[in-house]
Amino acid sequence: MPERERGRIALRLDAPGSIVAAVFFCLSLTPSLLPRSWLIQGIIAGVVTAAGYLTGVILGTALRRSIAWRPRPERRRAIRWVITALVAGMCTASLIAGARDQRHIYALMDLAPPERLGYLGVPVVAAAVFLVFLLTARVLRIAARALSGLLVRWVPALVAEIAAALCVAVLVFSLAEGVLAESLLDAADTSFAAINQETTPGTPPPRSATLSGGPSSLVSWESLGRQGRDFVAGAPGLEELRRFNGRTPVEPIRVYVGLDSAATLRERAALAVRELERTGAFSRKVLCVITTTGTGWVDPQAAAALEFMYNGDTALVAMQYSYLPSWLSFLVDRDRAQAAGRELFQQVYERWSRLPREHRPKLLVFGESLGAFGAESAFTGDQDLRDRTDGALFVGPPDSSVLRRRFVHGRDPGSTEVLPIYRKGETVRFANRPADLAEPSAPWDPPRVVYLQHPSDPIVWWSPRLLFEKPDWLSEPRGADVLPHIRWYPIVTFSQITADLAFALDVPPGHGHNYDGEVVAAWARIAAPEGWTDERTAELTALIQRAHPIGKRYAVGPTAVPTPRP
């Protein structure tokens, strides 16, 4: 083949690749769990289109090698025009439907709908992203051909082509994993380590001896880390508690051990237990063991809710195991979250179980997001939770949470994956909203275990299995805040839910991964004090949301970026 002709062909798109790419582009516009701006949709569409093009090129190459028939040039041109017209119409229809679906998702989440014309930016952004992938692939192909030209002097042509392609692939993978990924991780590690040493403005060291980092504490203020300092400083004051409960409160106990407080996980857990002993935590009405998120963050509403409910007669204990954000910690050291959840609970439980039964505080467990993943790993099943706790609350647990997955897969016949019923709800109950905990109507004796998960929370539903396996939650009736016609497509759905992860918090309360205002009602169902009422739950929910807000942005604009979250 003349070199000039080869160069001209190299600039053209592969026909089967283009057809499959167009199909993938259209599928990428189908609805997902969360609303997205035209810019984000364009990026997602570009990535998915590139994946479709690669798939089409591979399939087309295999087809050409297995079928000898080729259409004549005039027929080929006619076929090309027909296919072009069909693809253009299909893409146009998909853009219109995609814009309509996005407006419906915005409405489901009580957000102002985006401008219709803004969606015209989607194909422009998608084309730019696709072009970047295409040019990168072409450069790599040129490199592979050049290497193949050298190797063909010593080995057969086919062997040379395969060897050259493998060499280029291994080189790219090695650079991406060994150089680029490692450099990015090192930079992230340095950056987040520096953030961990900072203190949120307006956060003074505590003056109360019942708080870690305060007077006579075994843990220094400096060693707590940023999130630990926020946690202990966020305890409600005596006057706040008195106003809500109308009687003299007890100073809440908050124990926290940071990464710098001790050298190893076991030593940090042991230090936490000694700190609990120092503060008199084992004589309180409630003792709650908390597994933090990646950075060491503790949901301030979940913590304060128990303190207000019990008028400060509580002890909360948490331990930092990382300073990386949860998504990054999940990728590089998720085992550490599980190890921390097990170690802290085990050491606290060992000390707690030595107390006379009549003098033990209620032993509760809490974890949110990656914290739920770590917290539940301390237990082997629902019976173990019954035997060793007085209740547990797991909020927004990832799909990879072992116990949750076991309960979901073992759910009672007729119940759904999005709202499963496990063993008639006798111990473990799932809820999309706290009100769901009233069902089933069967007795729910303490201790009670609750998994709170929104139908639209991508952190709950994301899994690598989405690549090629249709999940039950997309075969059953959809959850209340998910479009009923959302469908599963291989590769595409995985890409969409993966993109949703980055914006899981950028939605109003009650949707996505935003559980703002819901933990009070959940705790009220799990471990309410005697005489507690639904009216008190409503009052406390309003108070908690005002006094301990969780900062989030509820907008999905064209330049939206993920809200920083621990």
Side-chain angles (χ1 to χ4, degrees), residues 4 6 40 54 124 130 198 222 243 245 256 258 272 299 420 446 506 533 566:
R4 184 176 58 185
R6 180 184 299 177
I40 300 304
L54 175 61
V124 176
F130 172 75
E198 297 174 356
E222 292 74 22
R243 280 199 303 269
N245 289 289
Y256 193 96
D299 184 339
D506 294 314
T533 64

Side-chain angles (χ1 to χ4, degrees), residues 173-190 332:
F173 180 80
S174 299
L175 287 173
E177 184 181 47
V179 178
L180 182 60
E182 189 172 333
S183 299
L184 290 174
L185 284 174
D186 287 344
D189 186 74
T190 301
V332 301

Side-chain angles (χ1 to χ4, degrees), residues 15 171 207 330 375:
L171 178 61
R207 297 179 181 179
F330 182 81

Side-chain angles (χ1 to χ4, degrees), residues 396-413:
D399 176 80
S400 55
S401 302
V402 178
L403 280 191
R404 175 195 171 275
R405 194 157 56 200
R406 185 188 308 169
F407 297 149
V408 170
H409 288 176
R411 65 188 181 272
D412 296 348

Side-chain angles (χ1 to χ4, degrees), residues 450-516:
V450 169
Y451 283 88
L452 189 57
Q453 53 184 41
H454 292 153
S456 59
D457 186 350
I459 289 174
V460 173
W461 308 112
W462 182 90
S463 167
R465 297 189 304 277
L466 282 170
L467 270 168
F468 302 109
E469 181 181 329
K470 185 178 182 179
D472 287 348
W473 61 272
L474 283 176
S475 300
E476 305 159 345
R478 311 299 184 259
D481 60 348
V482 175
L483 287 183
H485 55 280
I486 180 176
R487 297 289 183 268
W488 175 81
Y489 303 100
I491 302 175
V492 175
T493 300
F494 172 80
S495 302
Q496 290 178 320
I497 304 300
T498 300
D500 284 340
L501 292 173
F503 306 97
L505 289 159
D506 294 314
V507 288
H511 306 286
H513 200 57
N514 186 344
Y515 294 87
D516 188 7

